[in-house]
Amino acid sequence: MDRHLAFISLPAHGHVTPTLPVVAELARRGWRISYATGEQFGREVEKAGATLVRTATPAPAAPPPTVTGPPALASFLRRIVTDARTSLPVLAAHFRTDPPRAVCYDATSLAGRILAAETGAADVALLPTFATNERSSPFAHAGAPPPEILAVVREMADLAAAHGVELQRGVGMLAPASLNVVFVPREFQPGADTFDDRFRFVGPSPGTREHDRVWAPPDEPVLFVSLGTAFNDRPEFFRTCLEAFADRGPVAIAVGQHVGVDDLGVVPGNIDIRPWFPQPAVLRHAAAFVSHAGMGSTMEALYYGVPLVCVPQMLEQEANAGRVAELGLGVRLDAAGITAADLRTAVDAVTTDAAMRTALDRMRTAVRGAGGAEAAADAIEAHLAT
């Protein structure tokens, strides 16, 4: 039987990047992989050993700095619906004559879930964040969804039903797949004891990014600051960081594509500001990480044993930051009204706390021991063998 797999993902770094080491491992084992996502990820997909199936879904626009909470989540869910509407005709045409053994889809991809059902292929959900099941969700405390979110969820359900797929809901947004590959270790997952063998907690895999040499580290540990690739249009936050960390040792600040150095005023000589840094390379030499607490960034920090100062910008990041604080791996700050003194105090705390250092060492062992890309490939192959 043809060793063909489909990978489906929204065109966003936090969703594509965790999957690429798995793609590379499966390709190394002789699988032929078609990866459907936006063309901006074509180079990375092909470098991992897959063939790009270009979808028409546009890259996410940066939300205004003031748009968080339910409006931001509703906007994200609408992107899922838009992605499904634009991607499904492309996927149907491509895979009709070349069906895959399994559809490995980002857990938020409605298009991937529908393709798996329509082709009869094995369904494998890829989770770049916390898992949810019928009994447990780290987002359950958020309460009943507001009307704008319920409206998009109904639209998702109607679109799925039009393709013969029923979206049965537990406490999470969508029901689990037959196999769910989770890119966090079990030790970091809330309610881990409620998850059965459908879930494989494999942790992160830096992959080839770990060996990126485009950044030369300073002679002493660096403080790293980044708000990720989505909610990063925050010039006022970065100006506060300049005030907080002037003359305090080397600092690397990734401001993203929307904030320029000219927006920030005078930059102290100890601070290196760029749109982007090779994150694993920096974290290998970091004393602390001031982060939005996206799960990809959180996992990479823990992979290298770097304490976190979490400044979450939206619901998922709030859950991640809460777990970091709960496990003693860092601290959480409120993005609203944050001051330079708040940042200095938090960085001093996470870099001098002996108990936190012990917790970080323990979690680093768990993250690296979860198996990463090899464990994910093993789980997918074992699932297909049953």
Side-chain angles (χ1 to χ4, degrees):
M1 185 179 292
D2 187 25
R3 290 167 63 82
H4 181 209
L5 300 174
F7 273 65
I8 316 291
S9 180
L10 296 175
H13 286 280
H15 296 264
V16 174
T17 299
T19 70
L20 295 178
V22 182
V23 169
E25 177 62 21
L26 288 165
R28 186 187 68 79
R29 298 183 186 194
W31 289 91
R32 182 170 61 89
I33 300 163
S34 299
Y35 200 123
T37 190
E39 64 181 342
Q40 65 268 40
F41 291 99
R43 182 176 177 274
E44 289 86 351
V45 163
E46 291 169 359
K47 184 179 177 182
T51 299
L52 178 69
V53 179
R54 184 177 64 84
T55 58
T57 306
T66 55
V67 177
T68 57
L73 179 56
S75 176
F76 175 73
L77 294 177
R78 193 160 296 284
R79 281 192 59 224
I80 294 175
V81 177
T82 300
D83 172 75
R85 292 190 190 282
T86 59
S87 298
L88 281 169
V90 176
L91 300 179
H94 182 87
F95 292 105
R96 183 180 297 114
T97 58
D98 189 15
R101 292 271 303 279
V103 177
C104 305
Y105 57 88
D106 182 272
T108 62
S109 174
L110 185 56
R113 184 173 291 253
I114 291 172
L115 179 68
E118 292 190 330
T119 60
D123 59 322
V124 179
L126 307 171
L127 284 74
T129 186
F130 288 129
T132 63
N133 60 18
E134 297 84 355
R135 299 168 53 197
S136 176
S137 169
F139 311 109
H141 70 279
E148 63 262 45
I149 292 177
L150 288 175
V152 186
V153 171
R154 284 193 293 269
E155 188 175 349
M156 293 171 67
D158 290 343
L159 177 59
H163 289 268
V165 176
E166 182 180 359
L167 297 188
Q168 297 177 350
R169 297 185 59 202
V171 295
M173 185 63 66
L174 302 174
S178 298
L179 173 65
N180 303 269
V181 177
V182 190
F183 297 119
V184 303
R186 183 175 287 273
E187 290 83 352
F188 194 73
Q189 169 71 41
D193 59 348
T194 70
F195 290 85
D196 56 30
D197 290 343
R198 294 172 298 170
F199 294 84
R200 298 289 188 274
F201 293 90
V202 303
S205 300
T208 59
R209 297 170 62 245
E210 189 171 20
H211 308 293
D212 198 325
R213 302 294 184 187
V214 299
W215 178 75
D219 294 331
E220 56 184 301
V222 66
L223 171 63
F224 186 36
V225 179
S226 174
L227 295 181
T229 58
F231 291 84
N232 56 17
D233 190 3
R234 306 273 181 173
E236 78 290 344
F237 171 78
F238 295 117
R239 283 192 289 267
T240 301
C241 288
L242 297 186
E243 178 186 352
F245 304 128
D247 303 320
R248 284 174 62 97
V251 181
I253 302 181
V255 295
Q257 69 273 39
H258 303 289
V259 176
V261 175
D262 293 343
D263 300 322
L264 302 178
V266 177
V267 178
N270 65 309
I271 297 179
D272 184 359
I273 294 182
R274 307 182 190 182
W276 171 88
F277 283 87
Q279 188 159 287
V282 178
L283 287 172
R284 282 163 53 185
H285 299 277
F289 186 11
V290 179
S291 170
H292 63 306
M295 189 62 86
S297 292
T298 299
M299 285 296 104
E300 288 185 351
L302 299 179
Y303 184 92
Y304 293 106
V306 178
L308 286 146
V309 174
C310 300
V311 189
Q313 313 289 303
M314 42 85 76
L315 177 62
E316 177 191 337
Q317 297 162 10
E318 289 280 3
N320 301 342
R323 187 64 168 162
V324 165
E326 178 185 2
L327 295 175
L329 306 169
V331 299
R332 179 203 172 281
L333 298 179
D334 189 344
I338 194 170
T339 68
D342 295 333
L343 287 167
R344 285 193 298 267
T345 299
V347 169
D348 288 343
V350 302
T351 54
T352 58
D353 189 324
M356 186 172 292
R357 180 72 264 159
T358 298
L360 285 162
D361 290 343
R362 187 182 305 116
M363 185 58 70
R364 177 173 54 189
T365 298
V367 168
R368 295 188 175 221
E374 290 187 8
D378 287 345
I380 292 168
E381 290 187 326
H383 186 60
L384 293 177
T386 56

